[in-house]
Amino acid sequence: MSLKVAVGAPFRTTGRSRLEESEFVVALSLDRDWFSPDQAKRLVDVAVVEGLLRRDEGELVVEFPPESITIPDGFSPDESILRERTTFERILDSLGTVDESKQDSVAAINGLQASLGISTDAAAVLYAHRNGIDVSDVAQQVRTELSESAE
């Protein structure tokens, strides 16, 4: 996943699990020339939403072992990683380990949504759970969104 590689690269290079946001931005924009400074800041926001980074007292903390990523020679992340994925897209990506096509997964999720009268996101969480895929982080977000919309 190129998002994880782009986020993890500055931490892997420095051998640290915490960086000041400015260090992170410099590493991606000046040192690696992957993004503009504004794009690197946007990447921070996306990575926080995705659970790859968290902010702690002015620093960024990586939420996965940086040594677990490999930065291929000539790697350059696509700007599309700067776009926040919807909850549904995040769940669908996690279903990559299910032995069926994305089209079949979407059809099954839509079937659950229609038969149970629940939101598409809730149906996707249920479908992932039934297939043994841990989406507990996303499930909590769906719960929060559902309770906020009910108020």
Side-chain angles (χ1 to χ4, degrees), residues 66-111:
E67 63 277 359
S68 69
I69 62 160
T70 301
I71 307 166
D73 287 337
F75 174 80
S76 182
D78 188 82
E79 286 185 27
S80 66
I81 67 172
L82 300 174
R83 182 182 66 80
E84 261 185 64
R85 296 181 301 162
T86 65
T87 302
F88 182 77
E89 289 171 321
R90 291 174 64 199
I91 295 168
L92 200 56
D93 283 351
S94 69
L95 291 172
T97 58
V98 174
D99 290 332
E100 60 184 41
S101 71
K102 277 192 178 185
Q103 184 177 5
D104 291 340
S105 294
V106 170
I109 291 166
N110 287 340

Side-chain angles (χ1 to χ4, degrees), residues 7-132:
V7 169
F11 296 95
R12 183 174 172 89
T13 300
T14 62
R16 296 170 31 210
S17 62
R18 300 174 76 90
L19 293 172
E20 289 188 24
E21 188 165 343
S22 60
E23 290 177 280
F24 183 84
V25 168
V26 166
L28 293 178
S29 60
L30 297 177
D31 297 346
R32 293 197 177 265
D33 197 28
W34 284 349
F35 300 106
S36 70
D38 286 341
Q39 288 173 320
K41 290 175 187 174
R42 174 74 182 130
L43 181 67
V44 170
D45 294 334
V46 170
V48 168
V49 168
E50 295 284 332
L52 299 174
L53 291 178
R54 72 178 159 83
R55 288 183 167 102
D56 183 37
E57 297 181 14
E59 292 184 318
L60 299 175
V61 181
V62 67
E63 292 290 288
F64 61 91
E67 63 277 359
S68 69
I69 62 160
T70 301
I71 307 166
D73 287 337
F75 174 80
S76 182
D78 188 82
E79 286 185 27
S80 66
I81 67 172
L82 300 174
R83 182 182 66 80
E84 261 185 64
R85 296 181 301 162
T86 65
T87 302
F88 182 77
E89 289 171 321
R90 291 174 64 199
I91 295 168
L92 200 56
D93 283 351
S94 69
L95 291 172
T97 58
V98 174
D99 290 332
E100 60 184 41
S101 71
K102 277 192 178 185
Q103 184 177 5
D104 291 340
S105 294
V106 170
I109 291 166
N110 287 340
L112 277 173
Q113 187 266 332
S115 68
L116 298 175
I118 58 178
S119 73
T120 305
D121 290 347
V125 168
L126 179 59
Y127 180 77
H129 178 72
R130 287 182 176 176
N131 283 279

